[in-house]
């Protein structure tokens, strides 16, 4: 037990958890912003803009996440210069997740009655202000549960970064596991990491269920 629960290992794990949370948070922020842009472009952009948005979304959604992480970490530095691999891993992660968020947000946009546009136009609103002040607030209110579900998936998917030697939670636990010698210690270590993921993801899922019920009640 002491081989697992000691100050060095706990601090080591929490360093990895900190990076995991930072990557997940940054990825979610970028993907919501960029995903909103993609969703609006796909629904209301010109022909070329719609084609580009659709192509981006379909390409990223139908290819593996790890592929884009690998591309970001090993290809992008050749064009933009060297940086911490965690930065490039987050970039690849964000590019992929944006395509998923775009479809979630687009579903919300499609659920808003078209009469909302007509009413806004009749009051002199331009398309931009109609989207910004009237359509998007309703959209986000409808898709918050789905977006939070994707946030949970994003948090769990940070474990892919371990395959790129990036020191997030799973990678840090792998290093500790390599130093353990007994089955009991290995089992305890795996259980501890699983427990950390579970607590965070379960807490978020409780919030998702609450908001889902609240949204259904309001609807």
């Amino acid at each position: 037990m002491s081989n697992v629960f000691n100050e060095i290992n706990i601090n080591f794990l929490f360093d990895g958890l900190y990076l995991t949370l930072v990557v997940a948070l940054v990825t979610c922020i970028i993907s919501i912003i960029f995903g909103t842009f993609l969703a609006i472009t796909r629904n209301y952009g010109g022909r070329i803009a719609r084609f580009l948005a659709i192509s981006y979304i379909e390409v990223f959604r139908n290819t593996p996440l790890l592929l884009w992480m690998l591309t970001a970490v090993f290809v992008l530095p050749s064009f933009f210069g060297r940086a911490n691999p965690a930065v490039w891993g987050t970039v690849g992660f964000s590019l992929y997740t944006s395509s998923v968020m775009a479809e979630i947000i687009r579903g919300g946009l499609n659920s808003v009655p078209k009469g909302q546009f007509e009413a806004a136009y009749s009051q002199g609103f331009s398309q931009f202000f109609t989207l910004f002040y009237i359509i998007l607030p309703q959209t986000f209110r409808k898709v918050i549960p789905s977006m939070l579900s994707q946030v949970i998936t994003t948090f769990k998917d940070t474990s892919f970064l371990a395959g790129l030697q990036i020191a997030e939670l799973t990678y840090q636990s792998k290093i500790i596991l390599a130093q353990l010698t007994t089955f009991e210690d290995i089992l305890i270590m795996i259980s501890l990491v699983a427990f950390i993921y579970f607590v965070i993801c379960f807490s978020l899922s409780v919030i998702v269920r609450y908001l889902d019920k609240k949204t259904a009640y309001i609807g």
Side-chain angles (χ1 to χ4, degrees):
M1 184 75 73
S2 61
N3 291 331
V4 176
F5 291 100
N6 58 63
E7 184 177 355
I8 295 176
N9 285 351
I10 297 301
N11 289 337
F12 198 64
L13 280 180
F14 273 98
D15 286 343
L17 177 60
Y18 174 76
L19 181 59
T20 292
L21 293 172
V22 169
V23 170
L25 178 61
V26 172
T27 297
C28 289
I29 292 172
I30 293 174
S31 63
I32 290 171
I33 295 172
F34 189 38
T36 300
F37 171 78
L38 288 170
I40 291 173
T41 302
R42 180 167 183 172
N43 268 23
Y44 311 114
R47 181 179 300 178
I48 295 176
R50 283 202 307 270
F51 172 77
L52 292 175
I54 291 170
S55 298
Y56 179 97
I57 292 169
E58 294 303 324
V59 167
F60 276 86
R61 286 183 67 236
N62 292 286
T63 46
L65 166 59
L66 186 56
L67 173 66
W68 296 109
M69 287 184 173
L70 288 167
T71 301
V73 171
F74 293 108
V75 176
L76 291 184
S78 301
F79 296 95
F80 300 102
R82 295 289 174 183
N84 189 316
V87 173
W88 292 120
T90 303
V91 169
F93 202 0
S94 300
L95 292 175
Y96 174 88
T97 308
S98 294
S99 66
V100 180
M101 283 293 187
E103 286 299 274
I104 292 173
I105 295 166
R106 191 171 74 91
L109 289 172
N110 292 339
S111 70
V112 177
K114 292 183 179 179
Q116 297 282 339
F117 281 95
E118 297 169 1
Y121 294 154
S122 70
Q123 297 299 315
F125 282 84
S126 65
Q127 184 181 48
F128 174 81
F129 286 108
T130 298
L131 285 168
F132 190 81
Y133 287 111
I134 298 174
I135 305 302
L136 284 179
Q138 296 181 67
T139 296
F140 283 116
R141 193 157 51 242
K142 291 173 180 290
V143 302
I144 281 176
S146 298
M147 290 175 66
L148 283 176
S149 293
Q150 181 56 39
V151 169
I152 295 172
T153 300
T154 299
F155 175 74
K156 291 187 293 185
D157 285 349
T158 56
S159 59
F160 282 109
L161 294 171
L164 303 177
Q165 312 300 307
I166 294 172
E168 48 72 63
L169 179 59
T170 301
Y171 182 77
Q172 299 289 77
S173 66
K174 185 173 70 171
I175 292 176
I176 297 174
L177 283 169
Q179 301 171 357
L180 301 177
T181 56
T182 67
F183 174 78
E184 290 78 8
D185 286 343
I186 292 173
L187 184 60
I188 291 171
M189 186 68 221
I190 293 174
S191 299
L192 174 60
V193 175
F195 178 74
I196 293 172
Y197 277 108
F198 173 79
V199 167
I200 295 174
C201 293
F202 181 75
S203 300
L204 289 172
S205 68
V206 169
I207 297 174
V208 170
R209 286 197 291 270
Y210 169 76
L211 291 175
D212 205 16
K213 291 179 180 179
K214 187 175 181 180
T215 303
Y217 175 77
I218 293 174

